[in-house]
Amino acid sequence: MSTYWARRAWLPDGVAEHVRIEISHAVITAVSRDEKPSGTALSGTIVPGFANTHSHAFHRALRGRTHDDRGSFWTWRERMYAVAGRLQPDSYYRLARAVYAEMVLAGYTSVAEFHYLHHPARGRRYADPNEFSCALVAAAADAGIRLTLLDTCYVAGGFGKPTEGVQGRFDDGDAEAWAQRFESFRPAGELARVGVAVHSVRAVPAEQLPVVVRTASGRPLHVHLSEQLEENEECLAYYGRTPTELLHEADALTPDTVAVHATHLTGTDIAALTGSWASFCPSTEADLGDGIGPARGLADAGVRLCLGSDGQSVVDPWFEARALELHERLASGQRGRFDAAEIMAAAAAHGASGWPGLGSIAVGQGADLVHVNPDSVRTAGADGPGILFAATAADVTDVMVAGRWRVRDGVHTGVPEVARELNTEIGALWQ
Amino acid sequence: MSTYWARRAWLPDGVAEHVRIEISHAVITAVSRDEKPSGTALSGTIVPGFANTHSHAFHRALRGRTHDDRGSFWTWRERMYAVAGRLQPDSYYRLARAVYAEMVLAGYTSVAEFHYLHHPARGRRYADPNEFSCALVAAAADAGIRLTLLDTCYVAGGFGKPTEGVQGRFDDGDAEAWAQRFESFRPAGELARVGVAVHSVRAVPAEQLPVVVRTASGRPLHVHLSEQLEENEECLAYYGRTPTELLHEADALTPDTVAVHATHLTGTDIAALTGSWASFCPSTEADLGDGIGPARGLADAGVRLCLGSDGQSVVDPWFEARALELHERLASGQRGRFDAAEIMAAAAAHGASGWPGLGSIAVGQGADLVHVNPDSVRTAGADGPGILFAATAADVTDVMVAGRWRVRDGVHTGVPEVARELNTEIGALWQ
């Protein structure tokens, strides 16, 4: 058993002072407030570890590289495919290890990797057809982050269109072949789990959706949903229904389903998502010009919210948490769309990635903790839950995942030179 | 003369490698590229010092303190007035010194302070009626930032309404009395200048606007403009014209005029602003739910753009610079609304605050430089101008203002414990 004492801690009923936390076997076994220091003293504020519920690790290679001249959506897409075309399991292992380490440094303790880069080329297979999945599991283990590998079905290049070009690397042929490969892969280790994903209704024909739904079988099922208006228009033209309606008819909207983005929805769509999750990725939704989704409307309809770093233009859970509220304000003209507890619930929603029992500092919860400096130039003066509106990734000093410190004094304990590794791997990809 | 060599520098025609910069008497006297190291070597990327063209320094005390429960606009306003009610010249000096030091640490080298807290109470005057102005000038001098003190005329509490409550501290009685006080104040020192401001068309009756315009007399004239729809509606109801039309008729829209926010404008308004400036404050416009102003439309109409940290919920010029583009993307659904050069021009637009001859790394320009670490976890992998889409305030290592290093290795050379001072001063205000 380990004992920690923190000057302040974000507990389920608010930010408390002088909090003692006992941890045994990676689980929080006692929490009490107004205590004298004992055990390891932490001079700052402890908050629950953050959940990154939507990640494409390799997109990190695009940060600051898609805005030349003016950088349209097509600049971004062309470069994303260029990187997807070059990665191999060994280079992706190294890049992902650094990206996941960057995430842990920022305070993320779990990541749902929406993984669609499966094969060496169209119709070809690695000796182990899950070699990329293995690389990502190894990268997460080395970075010390909980991983939900979402094996993504991607078998069409658009409505009624085959995959083309680099998309051949994503394509298992059909959902049955995808399911077969997925069933043959189960990662070892306490910190890795699997789930499934439908890339989008563009990439999986309606008649193949039931295979993915059946394969999910109680595991997380994530899907990119209505990120851009074009998807909606094409889906309506092809199927005569919205993407959400299509998924609803395929029984794909369950309590384990996470609709990623959920930006452009009708009232009927929102109602159909009740009981499922919506993963907002504010930094990416701004970067790609997706628009501002109806976060408050979804929450009011009983859709649980969670957050993701998606395209990695920003890896900062504090930024995403604030932006959930701030984008709502920009769209609605009103402040106070979410209270601090709602924002933290979304930011620490590990359940969306298949990790129930995480996300708050309470007895019985997994021991994922983030220690943030309340005395940086950014956080100084903020009060209680106000830390959520002041801190950035740069203010995180220590991070514990499953009872183990993976970051101490701002340094990753397993990947000591994260920035150098990012530079090396990203530089090599653009050579 | 001092010689610097930087691995990379943001020059007027793009990011160059191995750049030698010579500086003499606070002015850049030579710039050349592809040079061998000589003089002081800087291993990262040099960019021009950033211009903070809209600041209310004391609002820093509100960061992370206006979101309890849900924190409406009225929560924010009530607390802002509470702080405005408590500040005295000595406490404001100490708070502002720390806030300006935070700005320099982030890379700002000039600040336009939109200053409206003038008096001890309604109808009362300090022994020196410009004692608050003196305090702010001293704070900026100690923090080493260029200051344009915008003495703000605030003589009404709304359309046809007298000031009330704390607003009595802002109120000179009428514009003539305001002008008289303003004319009696001229700060000493190379780094302080003055300008004027109309708080808003709510706070200065139309018939008094000509006094402010006349008093400006070629100096910067800033004005909060159409930040919220309510202002437009009330102005139309009271005067039968938009705030912009009102200012236009008063000849208040000159090349020295900076319209702050400029969020809710008609096509006619935009045309009337041609030749003037618009100061966007994206972090504040999100925080207060103002909405997204027509930045691209203004730029296309020949309005020069600049940026400000305004309410200090964020003090990070990189954030504001990116958000200029990212908010446009959210509103328009398109990427690439501004190119990197346009964004940097807005971020370094010292001219809007009455500092021409600053804002680029070129011969004859003032020696304001920011040295940023291109090898942090945030900036690693970004290429050339991509640094603008990757760096944060936390990645700034060194800042030179007018030829003098004010930040070295992330530490302010004049105010070594900025965070502690912020904590102390803000804590005292909320006691």
Side-chain angles (χ1 to χ4, degrees):
Chain A
M1 192 193 77
S2 303
T3 301
Y4 300 93
W5 177 93
R7 193 169 123 208
R8 291 193 203 117
W10 187 300
L11 303 185
D13 60 350
V15 176
E17 305 266 322
H18 302 174
V19 175
R20 188 165 68 198
I21 301 168
E22 291 179 7
I23 292 171
S24 185
H25 300 292
V27 171
I28 297 170
T29 53
V31 179
S32 50
R33 60 188 82 199
D34 302 322
E35 297 277 6
K36 292 222 169 67
S38 60
T40 304
L42 302 161
S43 60
T45 302
I46 296 281
V47 301
F50 293 106
N52 190 351
T53 66
H54 190 63
S55 161
H56 304 290
F58 77 85
H59 291 195
R60 176 63 180 83
L62 303 167
R63 185 187 302 170
R65 288 185 178 258
T66 64
H67 308 271
D68 315 5
D69 193 8
R70 287 184 168 196
S72 71
F73 175 79
W74 302 105
T75 312
W76 178 84
R77 190 174 187 268
E78 168 237 312
R79 298 206 180 158
M80 189 270 278
Y81 276 14
V83 174
R86 285 172 205 153
L87 282 166
Q88 295 301 329
D90 58 345
S91 56
Y92 201 2
Y93 159 73
R94 294 189 303 267
L95 175 62
R97 181 177 64 177
V99 175
Y100 292 152
E102 182 184 356
M103 289 180 192
V104 180
L105 283 165
Y108 287 119
T109 64
S110 82
V111 58
E113 179 67 29
F114 198 105
H115 171 55
Y116 55 82
L117 180 62
H118 302 305
H119 305 302
R122 175 182 308 286
R124 295 187 48 217
R125 297 293 177 265
Y126 291 106
D128 174 353
N130 286 300
E131 200 165 328
F132 266 121
S133 298
C134 293
L136 290 168
V137 168
D142 289 355
I145 195 167
R146 298 177 194 264
L147 173 72
T148 302
L149 189 86
L150 300 166
D151 197 320
T152 302
C153 186
Y154 192 126
V155 294
F159 296 97
K161 291 181 194 156
T163 57
E164 58 179 27
V166 175
Q167 294 168 343
R169 300 193 74 183
F170 316 157
D171 189 352
D172 281 288
D174 60 26
E176 291 289 358
W178 162 84
Q180 212 168 356
R181 182 179 52 69
F182 168 74
E183 293 294 359
S184 71
F185 177 70
R186 289 297 172 271
E190 293 284 301
L191 299 188
R193 295 183 178 176
V194 293
V196 305
V198 169
H199 177 275
S200 58
V201 294
R202 288 172 282 129
V204 181
E207 69 276 12
Q208 297 189 45
L209 287 173
V211 178
V212 186
V213 174
R214 191 169 62 238
T215 304
S217 169
R219 298 187 197 92
L221 191 173
H222 290 221
V223 52
H224 287 132
L225 182 69
S226 296
E227 181 176 3
Q228 301 244 344
L229 285 168
E230 201 181 350
E231 172 177 294
N232 287 4
E233 289 157 12
E234 291 181 357
C235 189
L236 276 165
Y238 194 78
Y239 289 114
R241 55 211 73 189
T242 67
T244 303
E245 287 165 358
L246 203 66
L247 292 168
H248 186 56
E249 285 179 20
D251 292 323
L253 302 181
T254 77
D256 304 310
T257 300
V258 178
V260 179
H261 303 301
T263 309
H264 303 285
L265 302 179
T266 66
T268 310
D269 291 343
I270 291 175
L273 287 162
T274 300
S276 296
W277 297 84
S279 176
F280 274 56
C281 306
S283 62
T284 300
E285 288 148 13
D287 189 57
L288 296 183
D290 297 336
I292 300 174
R296 184 70 255 171
L298 286 160
D300 289 341
V303 179
R304 289 160 294 168
L305 300 181
C306 52
L307 296 166
S309 70
D310 191 1
Q312 328 295 1
S313 62
V314 170
V315 170
D316 186 340
W318 311 86
F319 180 98
E320 308 295 345
R322 277 195 287 281
L324 176 67
E325 165 71 15
L326 294 172
H327 285 189
E328 272 278 326
R329 292 185 190 179
L330 284 172
S332 69
Q334 295 183 321
R335 299 180 98 236
R337 301 285 288 179
F338 293 100
D339 67 27
E342 288 176 305
I343 297 169
M344 179 56 88
H350 301 272
S353 312
W355 297 94
L358 279 181
S360 63
I361 299 175
V363 172
Q365 291 268 304
D368 286 16
L369 302 176
V370 173
H371 184 213
V372 61
N373 176 10
D375 301 314
S376 80
V377 288
R378 288 167 290 279
T379 56
D383 193 37
I387 191 88
L388 199 55
F389 278 85
T392 72
D395 302 308
V396 169
T397 57
D398 308 275
V399 180
M400 175 186 284
V401 186
R404 253 183 89 179
W405 291 111
R406 298 295 188 158
V407 174
R408 282 305 246 164
D409 291 330
V411 177
H412 196 287
T413 56
V415 188
E417 296 200 72
V418 179
R420 191 181 57 72
E421 294 194 13
L422 288 167
N423 257 332
T424 303
E425 296 307 320
I426 294 169
L429 281 169
W430 290 111
Q431 282 278 308
Chain B
M1 192 194 77
S2 304
T3 302
Y4 299 94
W5 176 93
R7 194 170 124 207
R8 293 193 201 115
W10 188 300
L11 303 185
D13 61 349
V15 176
E17 305 266 324
H18 301 175
V19 175
R20 189 165 67 196
I21 301 168
E22 292 179 8
I23 292 171
S24 186
H25 300 292
V27 171
I28 297 171
T29 53
V31 179
S32 51
R33 58 189 83 201
D34 303 321
E35 298 277 5
K36 291 224 169 65
S38 58
T40 304
L42 302 161
S43 60
T45 302
I46 296 282
V47 303
F50 293 106
N52 190 352
T53 66
H54 190 64
S55 162
H56 303 291
F58 77 85
H59 292 194
R60 175 64 180 81
L62 303 167
R63 185 187 301 170
R65 288 184 178 258
T66 64
H67 309 270
D68 315 3
D69 193 8
R70 287 183 168 197
S72 71
F73 175 78
W74 301 106
T75 313
W76 177 84
R77 190 172 187 267
E78 169 237 311
R79 300 210 177 153
M80 188 270 278
Y81 276 14
V83 174
R86 286 174 204 150
L87 282 165
Q88 296 301 328
D90 58 347
S91 56
Y92 201 2
Y93 159 73
R94 294 190 303 268
L95 175 62
R97 180 179 64 177
V99 175
Y100 292 151
E102 181 184 355
M103 289 180 191
V104 180
L105 283 165
Y108 287 119
T109 64
S110 81
V111 59
E113 178 66 30
F114 198 106
H115 172 54
Y116 54 83
L117 180 62
H118 302 307
H119 304 302
R122 175 183 308 285
R124 295 187 50 215
R125 298 292 177 265
Y126 291 106
D128 174 353
N130 287 300
E131 200 165 327
F132 266 121
S133 297
C134 294
L136 291 168
V137 168
D142 289 355
I145 195 167
R146 299 178 193 265
L147 171 73
T148 302
L149 189 85
L150 300 167
D151 197 320
T152 302
C153 185
Y154 192 126
V155 294
F159 296 98
K161 291 182 194 157
T163 57
E164 58 178 28
V166 175
Q167 293 169 342
R169 302 193 73 183
F170 316 158
D171 189 351
D172 281 287
D174 61 25
E176 292 289 357
W178 162 85
Q180 213 168 354
R181 183 178 53 70
F182 169 73
E183 292 295 359
S184 71
F185 177 71
R186 289 297 171 271
E190 293 284 301
L191 299 187
R193 295 183 178 176
V194 292
V196 305
V198 168
H199 177 276
S200 58
V201 293
R202 288 172 282 128
V204 181
E207 69 275 12
Q208 298 190 46
L209 288 172
V211 178
V212 186
V213 174
R214 190 170 63 238
T215 304
S217 167
R219 297 187 198 91
L221 191 172
H222 291 221
V223 52
H224 287 132
L225 183 70
S226 295
E227 181 176 4
Q228 301 246 342
L229 285 168
E230 202 181 349
E231 172 176 295
N232 287 5
E233 288 156 14
E234 292 182 358
C235 189
L236 277 165
Y238 194 79
Y239 289 114
R241 54 213 73 187
T242 66
T244 303
E245 287 165 0
L246 203 65
L247 293 168
H248 186 55
E249 286 178 21
D251 293 324
L253 303 180
T254 76
D256 304 310
T257 300
V258 178
V260 180
H261 303 301
T263 309
H264 302 286
L265 302 179
T266 66
T268 310
D269 291 343
I270 292 175
L273 288 163
T274 300
S276 297
W277 297 85
S279 176
F280 275 56
C281 307
S283 63
T284 300
E285 288 149 12
D287 189 57
L288 296 183
D290 297 336
I292 301 173
R296 185 69 255 170
L298 285 160
D300 289 342
V303 179
R304 289 159 294 167
L305 300 181
C306 53
L307 296 166
S309 69
D310 191 3
Q312 328 295 1
S313 61
V314 170
V315 170
D316 186 339
W318 311 86
F319 179 99
E320 308 296 345
R322 279 195 286 281
L324 176 68
E325 165 71 13
L326 294 172
H327 285 189
E328 272 279 325
R329 293 185 189 180
L330 283 173
S332 69
Q334 295 182 323
R335 298 181 100 237
R337 302 283 288 177
F338 293 100
D339 67 27
E342 288 176 304
I343 297 169
M344 180 56 88
H350 301 270
S353 312
W355 296 95
L358 280 181
S360 63
I361 299 174
V363 172
Q365 292 268 304
D368 287 15
L369 302 175
V370 172
H371 184 212
V372 61
N373 176 10
D375 300 315
S376 79
V377 288
R378 287 167 291 277
T379 56
D383 193 36
I387 191 87
L388 199 55
F389 278 85
T392 71
D395 303 308
V396 169
T397 57
D398 308 274
V399 180
M400 174 186 284
V401 186
R404 251 181 90 178
W405 290 111
R406 298 295 188 158
V407 174
R408 283 304 248 164
D409 291 329
V411 177
H412 195 288
T413 56
V415 188
E417 295 200 71
V418 179
R420 193 181 56 73
E421 295 195 11
L422 288 168
N423 258 331
T424 303
E425 296 307 319
I426 294 169
L429 281 170
W430 289 110
Q431 281 279 307

